[in-house]
Amino acid sequence: METYFVDVILPLPIETRFTYRVPQALNGHVAFGMRVIVPFGGSKLYAAVVECVHERPPKQVTVKYILDVIDDRPVVSEAQFRLWQWMADYYLCTIGEVMAAALPSALRLASETKVKIHPEFDGDISALTPYELSVVELLLHRETMNVEAVSKTLQIAKVMPIIKSLVDKRAVITDEEIRNPYKAKKETVIRLLPPYDNESAFMDLLDRLNAKPGTSSQADTLLAFMMHTRANNAYHFSSPVAKSVLLKDDNVSQSSLQTLIKKRILHSEERVISRLVDYSAGLMPTVRLSEPQERAYLEIKRSFEQYPVTLLHGVTGSGKTEIYIKLIDEVLRQGKQVLYLLPEIALTSQIVNRLRKYFGDRVGVYHSRFNEYERVEIWDRVLNGGDAEDTSKYQLVLGARSALLLPYKKLGLVIVDEEHDGSYKQMDPAPRYHARDAAVMLAQIHGAKTLLGTATPSLESYFNVQIRKFGLVELMQRYADSKLPDIYTVNMNAATKRHEVQGLFSHFLIEQMSRALENHEQVILFQNRRGYAVRMICHTCESMPKCQYCDVTLTYHKKTNLLKCHYCGYAIEVPKECPTCHSTDIEMKGFGTEQVEDTLSGIFPDARIARMDTDTTRSKNAYQQIITDFEQHKTDILVGTQMVTKGLDFDRVSVVGILNADALISFPDFRAFERAFQLLSQVSGRAGRKEIPGKVVIQTFQPSHPALKFVESNDFMAMYTSQIEERKNFRLPPITRMVKVTLKHPEETVVLAAAQQLQGMLRTVFEGHVMGPAAPLVSRIQNFYLQDFWIKMNRDHSLVARKQQLRELVRQFRQLPQFKKVRCVVNVDV
């Protein structure tokens, strides 16, 4: 009998593949893309994904066996695996890290250590320390416990050294156990058994039960069962009814139901049901496009004949979504899949409702707010679906950046909406990928087309248009000929001197909001900082409370009465006096969305105000509820961070207020100008999208800033020309590629020494292309001191080789014994 081996990928940050032997009993049961249980390291067990099955014995003498096969069919598609490999190579991470990011947590299995009393333990506790004794006493009353449970029960943070000591003393033993958390959701259903599952037999039975004394309750139960099978004015006697639904009926009792089951009139059984909510409303016919939309649609089709990627540059409110729907419909009719990417979860609820009106249950949604079991079901529907006739499978997947990591099999179109948005870039943990760029590669792997849509293109995408790498289609006319909003810039310096400021608002903005509310119109206010106040300052010693673990001041949150760190979550109660000098002359400075909401309620006491930021949208459906209330005009004023700027479509918004534009345009980053223009233009585009004319009020202390002038004139090309010239002068992206390398360590002296060492190594290879080391704006986060390097690489054929040089150099640095504990993070395309 043949001897087979498998190369597997483990969900760990390890460069190499590992080879295991297949037990002969499992020959023929292992294939690419399946998960297998393998031992790794001393005693841990992992679910690894099979990359290939072969007959080549590895060079090492001893080869471990795979222990079991989890799946009876692959959980990963071949195209998906190619994307994983590309991401690992391009973003300079490991394929294990990509796998860990891609697979839902319920599919990533790793063993947990179980602890129990040693069978030969004689009860002698004289040699045990107090901590060891507490562990033994706990286990004496339990058959087995995992390490985490022991730690939590005894409130000992580092319990593993204690357990290892007990193992050495032969008081306890440990074992590794794989736990598969995923379980199919089931429900109990009731059905009629033959011969009663037809109308005449059922009615005869009902008559007999009604005529016989003491069985009327059984007749009532059967009658209720029949009513629950009714659909479209007809009764379906063979259809099952959920037991939970039946027992809610006032005419059904548990005892009568059990009696009918014992009599073999009814039958109880379990069935697997989906955790996902299906869409049951009727579908609309295909969308009708206006004349400008139709022209853009035809231009996109022509562009796809020449370019694999096309940029749709359409002003806010021009109706890009309707064009997407027309393209999606065409691809779905071909029996292919479509991926529709959005930058924020907040956008998915509004867009998915529009798409389901046309495509029903063929629309799947995937993002981080789904629980781990729901994500497994979505994964399976995408992997094993795609047929136009099978509506239980997902042909159209809509989601945030993680949706591109799903196992597509026959992708025909990828749409990246709001392609400019910075949220598409994953910062931590690895892989630190850009979803827009990875989506282009995913489409290329499938031979599909990519459509990038936005009102404010990124410099990278527009540069690719200029060098004729991407196609371009422009849609510069708003839908139904609605006009772009009028934009007003309020000079807050002058307004303050003229006493024309009330709290956080200029009199001009208050006047515009008042008119809108009088006309039963709606207002959106944008402030890109959450919380109540930015910092607390002591006027005596000028100190400010800082985070214990990060080099940032704490932000005041009024609702919880806490000072919080927005980097690590550290929080303290608001002190009544200065912690440094004990002075009571303290004051809150700056403002966030919470203070905006609070101040508004004083100016407009009758207005219905809602806030949308990270603090108010933590629960699964909070986004959807806030947006739905605003759509249904249950909210008059919506206050929010950048969540309110992205692609939302409301028909009665007449005023948009930008409360502090200076925080955007003054940020110390080479992309600040571009991002300020994009964010301000996008939030301005929420106004006047239907028949109601819109006004945008920008409050600023720098009214003559060029970024604001470009927003006022809605002149993207002028902004692009000015910025691309600057990028050329300083050789910044998109003219070059930029890779950022960050060193982290809890001790500042260690990270500084490591930075000096790495600097010499980098400049040996990348002489003249290295900037740094330098501490970032926030130089310590979560108790790690940081040092940054930036490496510029030319956009040419040498890029791949240069990145591999960097990978090798970082590998050498990590092997230096004096810096083994220094974390080295590589971030490509920052």
Side-chain angles (χ1 to χ4, degrees):
M1 190 176 285
E2 296 89 345
T3 300
Y4 292 103
F5 300 88
V6 290
D7 293 340
V8 302
I9 301 166
L10 290 159
L12 301 169
I14 302 169
E15 293 282 355
T16 55
R17 269 62 160 182
F18 291 88
T19 302
Y20 290 82
R21 186 171 173 178
V22 180
Q24 291 187 342
L26 295 177
N27 281 0
H29 297 279
V30 184
F32 164 84
M34 291 181 180
R35 290 174 303 152
V36 293
I37 302 294
V38 297
F40 185 75
S43 58
K44 291 291 285 184
L45 305 177
Y46 286 96
V49 171
V50 175
E51 181 179 2
C52 68
V53 182
H54 57 85
E55 298 180 55
R56 302 183 303 275
K59 292 179 181 179
Q60 63 262 40
V61 178
T62 57
V63 183
K64 295 179 181 179
Y65 282 87
I66 64 171
L67 303 180
D68 201 0
V69 181
I70 300 173
D71 310 300
D72 56 7
R73 59 184 178 182
V75 297
V76 177
S77 70
E78 291 187 20
Q80 181 186 30
F81 187 82
R82 287 172 60 192
L83 179 70
W84 289 7
Q85 188 61 66
W86 176 83
M87 289 176 69
D89 292 340
Y90 187 87
Y91 292 106
L92 301 181
C93 61
T94 68
I95 196 166
E97 289 171 315
V98 181
M99 171 186 165
L103 287 179
S105 56
L107 296 181
R108 297 193 314 266
L109 309 183
S111 64
E112 56 183 7
T113 305
K114 296 279 189 175
V115 190
K116 61 182 178 181
I117 294 294
H118 197 293
E120 298 176 7
F121 179 55
D122 59 6
D124 182 7
I125 59 173
S126 58
L128 303 185
T129 67
Y131 280 131
E132 291 170 351
L133 181 60
S134 64
V135 172
V136 169
E137 287 177 341
L138 178 66
L139 294 173
L140 285 171
H141 303 287
R142 313 281 179 93
E143 184 177 339
T144 182
M145 288 184 76
N146 63 42
V147 171
E148 185 180 359
V150 173
S151 177
K152 283 184 177 178
T153 305
L154 298 178
Q155 296 185 335
I156 302 172
K158 295 182 179 179
V159 77
M160 205 61 206
I162 301 168
I163 290 171
K164 285 181 178 177
S165 176
L166 286 168
V167 169
D168 293 339
K169 294 176 181 179
R170 298 180 62 78
V172 302
I173 57 173
T174 61
D175 193 16
E176 292 296 315
E177 182 179 298
I178 281 277
R179 183 181 68 88
N180 191 344
Y182 180 74
K183 289 182 176 62
K185 187 177 181 180
K186 296 180 179 180
E187 71 173 0
T188 303
V189 295
I190 307 296
R191 65 170 70 248
L192 269 171
L193 286 174
Y196 309 107
D197 56 351
N198 64 78
E199 185 173 358
S200 60
F202 181 85
M203 298 309 293
D204 287 344
L205 173 65
L206 209 57
D207 290 341
R208 291 200 303 273
L209 289 172
N210 277 320
K212 188 177 179 180
T215 57
S216 60
S217 63
Q218 295 172 35
D220 290 342
T221 297
L222 284 174
L223 192 60
F225 176 88
M226 182 184 73
M227 295 303 293
H228 282 292
T229 67
R230 183 173 179 174
N232 300 323
N233 297 317
Y235 298 102
H236 301 272
F237 294 92
S238 61
S239 297
V241 177
K243 183 180 179 180
S244 59
V245 172
L246 204 54
L247 288 174
K248 287 178 183 177
D249 196 298
D250 293 336
N251 296 316
V252 177
S253 68
Q254 178 76 35
S255 60
S256 62
L257 185 61
Q258 287 303 118
T259 301
L260 289 166
I261 291 171
K262 285 180 182 177
K263 288 182 175 181
R264 297 194 57 76
I265 295 170
L266 295 177
H267 176 66
S268 171
E269 62 185 40
E270 277 194 331
R271 68 176 180 184
V272 175
I273 61 170
S274 175
R275 293 177 169 86
L276 307 173
V277 178
D278 287 330
Y279 181 83
S280 56
L283 301 184
M284 294 175 63
T286 188
V287 67
R288 289 188 177 182
L289 302 182
S290 67
E291 191 176 325
Q293 287 174 319
E294 185 69 30
R295 280 199 305 269
Y297 166 73
L298 294 174
E299 285 180 33
I300 291 168
K301 299 272 289 176
R302 285 194 293 269
S303 178
F304 278 158
E305 292 173 6
Q306 186 177 357
Y307 301 100
V309 183
T310 293
L311 173 65
L312 174 59
H313 180 195
V315 295
T316 54
S318 58
K320 293 186 287 294
T321 306
E322 283 75 17
I323 297 173
Y324 300 157
I325 291 170
K326 183 95 178 214
L327 290 164
I328 290 166
D329 186 48
E330 189 175 288
V331 174
L332 296 192
R333 288 177 189 276
Q334 298 169 13
K336 295 181 179 179
Q337 294 170 304
V338 176
L339 169 60
Y340 189 137
L341 284 180
L342 291 159
E344 289 273 5
I345 299 171
L347 288 175
T348 57
S349 60
Q350 192 178 49
I351 298 294
V352 78
N353 290 337
R354 294 174 69 178
L355 293 177
R356 278 186 171 155
K357 289 176 183 177
Y358 295 96
F359 306 113
D361 285 338
R362 289 182 291 172
V363 180
V365 185
Y366 191 79
H367 54 63
S368 59
R369 290 297 170 96
F370 285 106
N371 67 45
E372 58 180 331
Y373 306 133
E374 290 170 327
R375 285 193 232 180
V376 172
E377 288 196 24
I378 298 166
W379 184 280
D380 186 61
R381 286 197 186 190
V382 174
L383 178 63
N384 300 303
D387 294 330
E389 295 80 18
D390 189 353
T391 56
S392 69
K393 308 301 183 184
Y394 288 154
Q395 280 187 280
L396 168 58
V397 178
L398 183 145
R401 61 176 179 253
S402 59
L404 75 86
L405 298 172
L406 287 168
Y408 304 98
K409 278 192 171 177
K410 40 187 173 181
L411 206 56
L413 175 66
V414 176
I415 296 169
V416 184
D417 201 12
E418 310 296 342
E419 67 83 23
H420 66 277
D421 200 287
S423 300
Y424 279 125
K425 175 66 174 171
Q426 161 86 2
M427 299 307 290
D428 275 307
R432 296 171 178 84
Y433 65 100
H434 198 297
R436 177 196 62 221
D437 302 338
V440 170
M441 177 53 62
L442 175 67
Q444 182 179 317
I445 289 169
H446 283 267
K449 302 297 184 183
T450 306
L451 181 64
L452 310 178
T454 179
T456 53
S458 63
L459 262 66
E460 280 78 6
S461 293
Y462 210 81
F463 181 76
N464 281 327
V465 168
Q466 298 295 307
I467 63 174
R468 303 188 66 79
K469 186 177 178 181
F470 292 176
L472 173 67
V473 175
E474 294 183 311
L475 183 59
M476 295 294 120
Q477 185 176 336
R478 275 192 154 190
Y479 186 76
D481 291 326
S482 59
K483 294 183 178 178
L484 286 166
D486 296 323
I487 298 178
Y488 303 90
T489 302
V490 176
N491 185 337
M492 293 299 284
N493 279 316
T496 303
K497 289 176 183 176
R498 293 196 299 266
H499 305 290
E500 293 176 355
V501 177
Q502 182 178 344
L504 311 174
F505 310 104
S506 62
H507 287 179
F508 181 77
L509 178 54
I510 292 172
E511 182 185 334
Q512 300 307 315
M513 288 193 289
S514 298
R515 287 181 186 171
L517 296 175
E518 287 169 10
N519 295 331
H520 304 290
E521 295 161 359
Q522 292 172 296
V523 177
I524 290 178
L525 295 178
F526 168 62
Q527 167 60 9
N528 206 26
R529 184 180 283 272
R530 61 189 173 99
Y532 191 88
V534 176
R535 65 187 69 84
M536 188 188 92
I537 187 167
C538 171
H539 290 297
T540 303
C541 68
E542 297 187 345
S543 68
M544 295 175 281
K546 284 191 170 185
C547 175
Q548 185 175 330
Y549 307 104
C550 311
D551 279 341
V552 290
T553 56
L554 299 174
T555 301
Y556 174 50
H557 288 250
K558 186 177 181 182
K559 186 175 181 180
T560 54
N561 197 36
L562 293 173
L563 291 172
K564 289 184 179 180
C565 172
H566 289 175
Y567 283 86
C568 70
Y570 171 78
I572 60 172
E573 290 186 2
V574 177
K576 294 183 171 62
E577 59 182 31
C578 172
T580 304
C581 70
H582 305 292
S583 168
T584 55
D585 187 11
I586 53 179
E587 183 184 4
M588 298 296 178
K589 287 283 190 180
F591 66 94
T593 50
E594 194 179 9
Q595 188 175 159
V596 175
E597 181 186 30
D598 195 40
T599 307
L600 276 173
S601 60
I603 299 173
F604 301 109
D606 298 326
R608 296 164 298 179
I609 303 164
R611 173 163 53 95
M612 189 161 77
D613 57 26
T614 307
D615 296 323
T616 62
T617 55
R618 294 189 189 279
S619 64
K620 181 176 178 180
N621 297 313
Y623 288 107
Q624 187 164 349
Q625 190 58 54
I626 293 170
I627 290 169
T628 300
D629 287 348
F630 199 66
E631 278 183 317
Q632 296 175 353
H633 308 150
K634 295 178 182 177
T635 304
D636 300 312
I637 305 175
L638 179 62
V639 179
T641 54
Q642 59 180 331
M643 292 179 186
V644 302
T645 71
K646 302 174 183 180
L648 296 171
D649 187 14
F650 304 114
D651 57 6
R652 294 198 62 81
V653 174
S654 62
V655 174
V656 167
I658 298 162
L659 303 184
N660 183 15
D662 305 285
L664 301 173
I665 58 183
S666 302
F667 197 75
D669 186 287
F670 75 89
R671 297 188 196 273
F673 193 106
E674 175 192 3
R675 286 176 176 162
F677 173 84
Q678 290 165 343
L679 207 54
L680 294 172
S681 297
Q682 288 287 339
V683 73
S684 299
R686 301 313 107 206
R689 294 176 72 89
K690 295 296 187 292
E691 69 277 359
I692 299 172
K695 292 180 180 177
V696 178
V697 180
I698 301 174
Q699 296 187 164
T700 176
F701 289 92
Q702 304 175 68
S704 58
H705 194 284
L708 299 180
K709 296 300 181 185
F710 293 142
V711 172
E712 287 175 14
S713 59
N714 192 37
D715 195 342
F716 168 79
M717 277 309 301
M719 186 280 294
Y720 173 81
T721 303
S722 73
Q723 285 301 293
I724 206 70
E725 195 61 36
E726 187 174 301
R727 304 280 180 93
K728 285 177 181 175
N729 291 337
F730 292 97
R731 294 188 65 252
L732 293 168
I735 307 305
T736 58
R737 298 288 194 195
M738 184 90 84
V739 180
K740 179 181 176 185
V741 179
T742 301
L743 300 181
K744 301 181 176 184
H745 194 272
E747 295 178 30
E748 188 175 17
T749 53
V750 174
V751 82
L752 288 173
Q756 289 302 311
Q757 174 70 35
L758 184 59
Q759 179 186 41
M761 296 171 71
L762 286 172
R763 291 193 171 167
T764 301
V765 179
F766 301 101
E767 182 61 42
H769 299 274
V770 180
M771 297 183 292
L777 191 64
V778 180
S779 60
R780 183 173 62 111
I781 296 177
Q782 295 180 354
N783 229 18
F784 281 88
Y785 289 92
L786 311 178
Q787 286 286 303
D788 288 339
F789 293 87
W790 294 267
I791 304 156
K792 297 176 184 177
M793 297 184 183
N794 293 330
R795 293 173 54 117
D796 56 27
H797 61 276
S798 68
L799 180 62
V800 174
R802 300 292 272 172
K803 285 165 79 172
Q804 289 309 311
Q805 284 179 302
L806 178 60
R807 184 195 285 271
E808 176 60 24
L809 192 147
V810 168
R811 188 189 65 79
Q812 291 173 12
F813 171 79
R814 285 172 173 158
Q815 289 181 340
L816 294 173
Q818 67 271 39
F819 299 125
K820 275 198 170 180
K821 292 187 178 180
V822 176
R823 290 181 58 194
C824 184
V825 175
V826 180
N827 197 340
V828 177
D829 290 347
V830 286

